[in-house]
Amino acid sequence: MVGYLLKRIGLMLLTLFIVISLTFFLMKLIPGSPFSAAAKLNETQRAIMAAKYGLDQPVPVQYLKYMTNVLQGDLGVSFQFSNTPVTELIAKRIGPSATLGLQAMIFGTIFGIILGVIAALRQNTWMDYGSTLVAVLGKSIPSFVFAAMLQYFIAVRLGWFPVAFWRGYEYSILPTIALAIFPISIAARFMRTEMIEVLSSDYIVLARAKGASSFEVAFKHALRNALIPVVTVLGPLAVSLITGSLVVERVFAIPGLGEQFVTSINVLDYPVIMGTTILFAALFIFVVLIVDILYSIIDPRIRLSGGEN
Amino acid sequence: MESILTVKDLAISFNTYAGEVKAIRGVNFELYKGETLAIVGESGSGKSVTTKSIMRLLPKSNSEMKPESQILFDGKDLTKQTDKQMEKIRGKDISMIFQDPMTSLNPTMKIGKQIAEPLLKHQNLSKAQAKARALELLKLVGIPNPEVRINQYPHQFSGGQRQRIVIAVALACNPKVLIADEPTTALDVTIQAQILDLMKDLQKKIDTSIIFITHDLGVVASVADRVAVMYGGRIVEVGTVDEIFYNPKHPYTWGLISSMPSLETDVDELFVIPGSPPDLLNPPKGDAFAARNRFAMAIDFEEEPPMFKVSETHYAATWLLHPDAPYVEPPEAVKKNQEKFNNAQSKGGVY
Amino acid sequence: MVNPIKRIPKEMFEPKRVDESLAEKIEKPSLSFWQDAWLRVKKNKAAIVSVVVLTLLIIMALIGPYLSGHTVQQNVEHANLPPRIAAVADVSWLPFDGTLKNRDGAILTPYEDRQITESYWFGTDSLGRDLFTRLWLGVRISLFIAFLATAIDMVIGVSYGAISGYFGGRVDNIMQRIIEILSGIPNLVIVILLILILEPGILAITLALALTGWVTMARVVRGQVLKLKNQEFALASKTLGATDYRIIFKHLMPNMVGVIIVNMMFTIPSAIFFEAFLSFIGLGLKPPNASLGTLIEDGFRVMLLYPYMLIIPSIVISLLMVTFNLLGDGLRDALDPKMRD
């Protein structure tokens, strides 16, 4: 287990290193990048950049300098927000994004799992079809289309929720739903398939043969076994929330990381793009690792075989 | 002999996309107290469906038990019990062992808990009592080091050990009837023998009656008191082990016995019953076995044969037993068996 | 248990044999893999409806731009006209009567106000371009990008997966490490960086999508190859001296076509999604080109005033996504050998 963990963390650091390097070199290739002479920088910025990255020095030296800065938590300064350090910008913006992401993740997976279990237990009834419909639509309709539709019909037309901005709890409800629809649909489908498969397995028949009631069979025997594989989709789901946050925050004008990232892309604020990219990549890699560890904790087969051998 | 379980006119259909599959078409048998009844037949003959329906474990969504079916146990007709009533019978009065020990234990539940489950459910034991009894059961089925192993998960046990655990689960409440659905098929031959010995041993200890499903006639010979041969959703011949092995009457049973490999026969090739089992979606008219029967007669294609009585304990459903039917010689292998039996009988020895 | 013995005519006890070949008769007609798969797809109503809708959408993408009689010429006098279809203008629940409700609930009639006699079926945008024509041109480009990206994806993914799985050993080890690291980087990041370098455009988007999409395909194919290459038919062919090339293409490929197709069916909608997504965050095609994503982006900007500009392309992209996904599901169920009985 410890060996496995070390190996995973090693791989994780390697990947992160590659991402940062890749970002650096790609940025060097971009016409008008902060490191090229054509960058639209003012004199002060150019001076700061030159001092910080040693722009007059050869590329390998610049690279080393950049890596050292990143390791020290220095991601450069933003163009659009008059030289504010990128880390400061990120720190300011991460709150709403984290709130939305967590809410959507928790609400989405729990609701999705419930939908999936209901569909599996009431196979081929209207409940099953309803849950399948939600799942297909949620998986298919792009998050920004769904967000825009929610905003137009529920906020603008019906006026049930605020249309946009971030000024209190009620402002987070529509964006959370817009973000959660994908986790809901994925969790629901996955859970339904798993649950149906588990319910038809031999040990479920044996549990029934022992005299367990259908409630006990579903919740004591089947649910846990069906839930274990669902953990594997949590990683991809968390990642999809990052993608989703870019557009959903834009639709609802939420001052989060995603919205800032999109603005930065549009005004070519490279330090912010790079900093956010590195953050997203780190988050992604970390989530995948956490999910793997979680999986090995929940499934006794993996835990114990890893522990003994 | 006292009968503990009586199955009468059991008929079960499955509704599939293709139509109604008549899996069981009128099965009758009795299980006597303390005996082991083997049900033999090839895949798809309805053995497992019959036993699952006794436990009422068939999925309700696509299976249908015909109204004339009766399963009498302990003065009750199991076909008329509600789900709640059945839960009280399952695991307590009737329990079951399945074919594949690798898949029949819950992979995420400690085996102690799995053994204790029926105890807690049916015998109102406290958790500590149930655990003590689970330990006892593990010892009884021969799992070494039970104090440690009770807290382990199924994947930490070998196939043979898992089947022992499944047996422990099944015997936890001292059931009156134990249904074993091919309990040794998935195991190595050496382990098979151990499990069979264990079952025979435990049967004596707790005085239970066993329905033993198998397609392996070798296993039948070593465990069963009586044998019922199933074909195409019906029982075609039933009798004591000796009667079935040494004096079979149904051509299908002849086929089964001829196709059994034996150390004494020096044939190059094993006998094969030609053809494949009948399509129960459209069961053929007359005797389901007729199309594969070397001795088929015109009547076989017209009318299903009734059960003809051979002896007090031996019945067979074949028109060959009709008084007007011509005499046919059973195949070589069957005749050899008969001779061996007669010789043994005349010498007064036990074969 | 025993019935009383019935009298039965003597001739009924004459021996009668059935032809032994009849006993071995195969009841069902034998079906090839594809015939069998088609029978299964046919049973899946959702998949069939999807095929029909998709076909219509693809046909419209091809001929739609020439149907309305309008071109995408800018015509500022005709700017921001709501949808009007003369034939259904009187059907009250359909929004094709050429009127528009503003935020205070007042009904605007821009056609009458500006004395425009022509009808624009799906309205016009802020530059007076016919949205019906633009919409189908956009669908055409979105589909083109998605199909092209998927095709590139498939070529790279299948070759990579097949080589990695077939040769195994050290080759496999190295190739798998590369995949592990690649899949450790979020697609989003790669796509965004690539597009920033390549300048937004059809080629850049296609390339970015293809470069990030092949990993899944490679994984699936490798898994299949690993499974198949040790099966008897492949080993038999090897013992008979078949070349690696022959084994891969003649023996393994035909067995993997199903999974590859299913995988492609799910890659297409994800490419459609990513293209629209990139357009929505400002990395899409540059005007005057339109894709579904840029149309939605344009519509979103003026959503409060001219909701039809957002809603119509949104419906079309949702239809495309839903039908591709349903078709993919249907094909997966049909081609999954586990489901065959």
Side-chain angles (χ1 to χ4, degrees), chain B residues 296-308:
Chain B
M297 300 170 293
I299 180 90
D300 280 316
F301 295 92
E302 294 301 323
E303 210 172 318
E304 242 177 298
M307 272 285 184
F308 290 94

Side-chain angles (χ1 to χ4, degrees), chain B residues 6-13 20 22-29 49-50 53-54 56 58 63-73 76-81 233:
Chain B
T6 307
V7 174
K8 271 189 197 160
D9 301 323
L10 183 68
I12 291 161
S13 294
E20 186 190 10
K22 300 180 189 70
I24 304 292
R25 307 178 300 136
V27 160
N28 293 285
F29 68 85
V49 177
T50 305
S53 69
I54 295 173
R56 296 262 308 277
L58 293 171
S63 70
E64 184 195 346
M65 196 182 280
K66 300 287 173 207
E68 71 269 20
S69 310
Q70 278 186 314
I71 300 168
L72 303 173
F73 171 79
K76 285 173 281 201
D77 184 352
L78 296 187
T79 62
K80 307 279 187 300
Q81 303 294 303

Side-chain angles (χ1 to χ4, degrees), chain A residues 26-267:
Chain A
L26 285 177
M27 282 292 161
K28 287 215 70 89
L29 284 174
I30 293 174
S33 88
F35 302 109
S36 74
K40 45 174 184 180
L41 302 174
N42 61 32
E43 277 312 310
T44 355
Q45 284 171 333
R46 207 181 293 271
I48 295 173
M49 290 294 248
K52 191 161 267 173
Y53 301 109
L55 290 183
D56 46 347
Q57 282 164 5
V59 175
V61 179
Q62 289 181 34
Y63 174 63
L64 273 180
K65 189 108 190 171
Y66 179 76
M67 288 309 268
T68 344
N69 280 337
V70 170
L71 281 181
Q72 289 165 353
D74 182 352
L75 296 169
V77 294
S78 159
F79 303 159
Q80 47 173 338
F81 302 105
S82 53
N83 303 339
T84 321
V86 172
T87 38
E88 203 173 290
L89 279 176
I90 289 177
K92 219 163 40 187
R93 292 276 187 140
I94 205 162
S97 295
T99 311
L100 274 186
L102 280 178
Q103 274 181 198
M105 191 71 194
I106 294 168
F107 167 70
T109 36
I110 292 179
F111 190 64
I113 285 171
I114 294 173
L115 268 187
V117 171
I118 292 175
L121 293 178
R122 295 277 173 273
Q123 229 181 311
N124 300 325
T125 62
W126 63 268
M127 284 191 254
D128 185 14
Y129 299 136
S131 127
T132 306
L133 185 73
V134 169
V136 170
L137 292 182
K139 189 185 166 210
S140 306
I141 297 178
S143 42
F144 52 95
V145 170
F146 189 66
M149 293 296 149
L150 277 182
Q151 187 183 40
Y152 181 73
F153 287 104
I154 299 198
V156 176
R157 280 287 192 81
L158 297 171
W160 291 355
F161 293 100
V163 174
F165 304 120
W166 190 254
R167 289 174 197 143
Y169 184 71
E170 68 271 27
Y171 287 82
S172 77
I173 292 174
L174 282 187
T176 301
I177 296 175
L179 267 182
I181 183 75
F182 189 72
I184 288 175
S185 69
I186 299 296
R189 298 189 108 188
F190 204 83
M191 194 64 202
R192 178 180 183 271
T193 320
E194 285 300 324
M195 194 74 179
I196 287 175
E197 196 173 320
V198 167
L199 281 174
S200 68
S201 61
D202 286 358
Y203 60 84
I204 291 298
V205 185
L206 185 70
R208 289 177 63 206
K210 282 197 251 182
S213 64
S214 36
F215 181 84
E216 284 172 313
V217 166
F219 293 97
K220 244 169 93 182
H221 287 274
L223 190 61
R224 178 169 173 161
N225 284 291
L227 271 176
I228 289 172
V230 173
V231 174
T232 54
V233 293
L234 293 184
L237 285 187
V239 174
S240 78
L241 289 183
I242 296 179
T243 316
S245 73
L246 299 196
V247 283
V248 170
E249 285 178 12
R250 179 170 176 233
V251 169
F252 290 99
I254 290 162
L257 277 181
E259 198 265 349
Q260 174 178 274
F261 189 52
V262 174
T263 326
S264 307
I265 289 170
N266 283 304
V267 299

